[in-house]
Amino acid sequence: MNDLRNDAPLYIKVHEKDNVAIIANAGGLPEGTVFPCGLKLTEHVPQGHKVALADVAQGEAVVRYGEIIGYAVCSIPQGSWVGESLIELPTPPLLRELPLATKVPPPQPPLEGFTFEGYLNPDGSVGTKNILGITTSVQCVSGVLDYAVKRIKEELLPKYPQVDDVVAIHHTYGCGVAIQAPDAVIPIRTIRNIAANPNFGGELMVVGLGCEKLQPDRLIPDGDSASKVVTLQDYQGFIPMVQAIMEMAEARLEKLNRRKRVTCPASGLVVGLQCGGSDAFSGITANPAVGYAADLLVRAGATVLFSEVTEVRDAVHLLTPRAVNEEVGRALIREMEWYDAYLQRGQADRSANPTPGNKKGGLANIVEKSLGSIVKSGSSPITAVLAPGEKAVQKGLIFAATPASDFVCGTLQLASGINMQVFTTGRGTPYGLAMAPVIKVASRNALAEQWPDLIDINAGRIADGEATIEDVGWEIFRFILDVASGRKQTWAEQWGLHNAISLFNPAPVT
């Protein structure tokens, strides 16, 4: 392949049916550029943006990834820049007409012998970190808990060197909400399941106020609230509150400090996949490489979660045939229908998804974005579907329904039980999670070079032929094992970068 670092013009065409391609050269290419095939640009086309490979008549389909991403609103001459304003959104796939489990991929050969050094929990789950998590039942207690956590880190944590961190699980739920509304189940189970994340070692601890609607008992699976809850209204003054939190925390730190890393099969991994700040390269470099790594993880017996409903909806017709059976296919449709109705209630639709950065990076609309996004899922059968905040209990490739928002998606994947996350980006973001390592994969060389101390793996090498999708896929897979074992740290871990928990609450606030 051509080297993007020299002056040779290069476009990338994904599928033989495509009538557009993206410009690969850094900085784009000027009007008059002639490609070896004879194609001549009629205007400047920025990097990552689309050029018409042939004349496209008004109303004719614009095709990328072998799929229709829209229809030309006017005649588009060959060699033109095909910007977003020239493409009209197509009708989304009709959910009730989708094929179910009609092309279930055959099982790939098992990938045996791969292990990592993790923290084995009594319930059989495995942590990649050893963290004390302290859950709040209501936002009112956050200030007190932050004060206590600061003292815990300064006064107690140094005594327990095997514990990686102490994390306050803050959220804005708990009171002033319609706690009995049907959709309230989503934030409540999300909080409850985050507290049970495998990286917390089963040492549940809740700080509540006492008068909130979300009573701490609803976050305690075994009902033993006396030994797991500090209720601030039970104490005479601020200092006794803080002291009670510290005493309960120290009892858990003592237990967590006894945890040791042991050799675990790769099947103990629960890896979340996400993208943010996507661009036109995401669907041809970073996401396919992550998809290849996802297939390796599934072959090794691990659990892999992909998400982001609005970035699946317009490509769902390519996913329902991969459902392992019709029941799973119907569950996938159910989550699409629920989200369609949710958007409709808010007088929004799928066209609200692409960000200004996505568009600047060459993505014309949500259809093009979706087609590039779903390739993170690789080629394995979809074995299960989770509603928002549900915990994964099966192995294999799972669709975990979430909004596309980075922070909300990350929060819900933590609730589903991920102990690692792989995050692809084209435009760049310092996103991170305090509760699980996040591996950043860049779609472009330019981003990896701009942020060498934030990007963990550069998939941009695929575009200029320095590496193949398989090469980078294996690199991601091995890096996952190293980070899960504590042998390597992600850049976000090294800098201590993380975003706040952001609950998905579609229920009313009173």
Side-chain angles (χ1 to χ4, degrees), residues 381-440:
I382 301 169
T383 60
V385 174
L386 304 178
E390 284 188 331
K391 187 175 181 179
V393 295
Q394 291 178 260
K395 300 291 187 181
L397 179 68
I398 295 174
F399 178 71
T402 76
S405 162
D406 297 347
F407 330 111
V408 181
C409 177
T411 298
L412 290 168
Q413 286 193 349
L414 286 168
S416 293
I418 63 166
N419 49 22
M420 294 277 299
Q421 192 181 65
V422 180
F423 189 105
T424 67
T425 182
R427 304 295 297 169
T429 170
Y431 164 94
L433 298 172
M435 304 171 198
V438 177
I439 296 170
K440 290 281 186 36

Side-chain angles (χ1 to χ4, degrees), residues 1-2 460-468:
M1 293 183 66
N2 291 327
R461 296 171 295 148
I462 295 169
D464 61 14
E466 291 183 11
T468 65

Side-chain angles (χ1 to χ4, degrees), residues 448-466:
E449 292 164 0
Q450 178 186 357
W451 285 3
D453 51 0
L454 287 170
I455 296 298
D456 299 296
I457 292 175
N458 176 23
R461 296 171 295 148
I462 295 169
D464 61 14
E466 291 183 11

Side-chain angles (χ1 to χ4, degrees), residues 183 337-348 403 504-506:
D183 288 339
E337 289 177 330
W338 187 95
Y339 214 88
D340 280 356
Y342 167 72
L343 289 175
Q344 188 174 23
R345 290 199 304 272
Q347 298 183 23
F504 180 39
N505 176 29

Side-chain angles (χ1 to χ4, degrees), residues 472-494:
V472 180
W474 273 105
E475 182 182 355
I476 293 168
F477 176 74
R478 292 190 174 99
F479 194 67
I480 288 171
L481 296 176
D482 283 339
V483 172
S485 300
R487 292 189 292 265
K488 293 182 179 178
Q489 279 192 320
T490 66
W491 281 113
E493 287 180 284
Q494 290 186 49

Side-chain angles (χ1 to χ4, degrees), residues 88-427:
E88 182 180 15
L89 267 174
T91 302
L94 298 176
L95 295 174
R96 291 299 175 178
E97 298 179 6
L98 295 177
L100 304 179
T102 55
K103 295 181 180 179
V104 184
Q108 298 184 54
L111 196 61
E112 299 174 341
F114 286 93
T115 62
F116 69 104
E117 303 302 307
Y119 297 98
L120 185 60
N121 296 317
D123 64 357
S125 65
V126 183
T128 62
K129 303 286 286 184
N130 189 20
I131 299 171
L132 171 60
I134 306 177
T135 303
T136 58
S137 63
V138 66
Q139 172 72 9
C140 308
V141 306
S142 294
V144 176
L145 180 56
D146 281 342
Y147 183 91
V149 167
K150 182 175 183 292
R151 287 192 56 185
I152 292 168
K153 289 185 176 184
E154 292 174 352
E155 301 171 28
L156 300 181
L157 193 57
K159 296 160 52 178
Y160 304 100
Q162 300 305 314
V163 181
D164 295 316
D165 200 2
V166 179
V167 174
I169 306 172
H170 290 315
H171 54 85
T172 57
Y173 198 71
C175 213
V177 295
I179 200 75
Q180 300 301 336
D183 288 339
V185 65
I186 293 175
I188 294 171
R189 73 181 170 214
T190 300
I191 299 166
R192 185 175 61 244
N193 286 341
I194 286 177
N197 186 278
N199 288 346
F200 295 143
E203 293 302 323
L204 181 62
M205 179 175 170
V206 181
V207 176
L209 184 59
C211 58
E212 61 268 32
K213 287 186 176 181
L214 179 57
Q215 287 290 296
D217 286 351
R218 297 188 68 171
L219 306 177
I220 310 294
D222 58 11
D224 181 20
S225 60
S227 65
K228 294 182 173 69
V229 178
V230 175
T231 303
L232 300 190
Q233 289 177 348
D234 290 346
Y235 293 88
Q236 188 74 28
F238 174 68
I239 295 302
M241 296 175 191
V242 173
Q243 194 61 39
I245 294 170
M246 293 181 68
E247 288 174 2
M248 187 176 285
E250 183 154 30
R252 279 149 179 76
L253 288 170
E254 289 175 352
K255 293 180 181 178
L256 290 171
N257 199 57
R258 294 195 288 269
R259 293 176 91 199
K260 304 291 183 185
R261 289 189 183 271
V262 297
T263 301
C264 302
S267 58
L269 289 168
V270 184
V271 181
L273 310 179
Q274 192 180 347
C275 53
S278 299
D279 67 356
F281 284 93
S282 295
I284 55 177
T285 60
N287 289 346
V290 168
Y292 191 90
D295 286 341
L296 296 176
L297 288 164
V298 169
R299 289 173 57 193
T303 302
V304 178
L305 275 57
F306 73 108
S307 298
E308 301 169 286
V309 172
T310 51
E311 296 180 15
V312 163
R313 176 65 174 87
D314 277 274
V316 70
H317 60 291
L318 303 176
L319 295 175
T320 53
R322 286 171 53 192
V324 73
N325 54 44
E326 290 190 6
E327 181 182 1
V328 171
R330 284 191 291 270
L332 187 55
I333 290 173
R334 177 197 70 212
E335 293 305 324
M336 300 297 112
E337 289 177 330
W338 187 95
Y339 214 88
D340 280 356
Y342 167 72
L343 289 175
Q344 188 174 23
R345 290 199 304 272
Q347 298 183 23
D349 61 29
R350 73 210 213 277
S351 67
N353 178 293
T355 67
N358 295 151
K359 294 176 181 179
K360 190 174 181 180
L363 294 175
N365 57 33
I366 187 55
V367 182
E368 184 179 11
K369 187 177 182 183
S370 296
L371 291 166
S373 176
I374 65 164
V375 295
K376 294 195 304 296
S377 68
S379 60
S380 301
I382 301 169
T383 60
V385 174
L386 304 178
E390 284 188 331
K391 187 175 181 179
V393 295
Q394 291 178 260
K395 300 291 187 181
L397 179 68
I398 295 174
F399 178 71
T402 76
S405 162
D406 297 347
F407 330 111
V408 181
C409 177
T411 298
L412 290 168
Q413 286 193 349
L414 286 168
S416 293
I418 63 166
N419 49 22
M420 294 277 299
Q421 192 181 65
V422 180
F423 189 105
T424 67
T425 182
R427 304 295 297 169

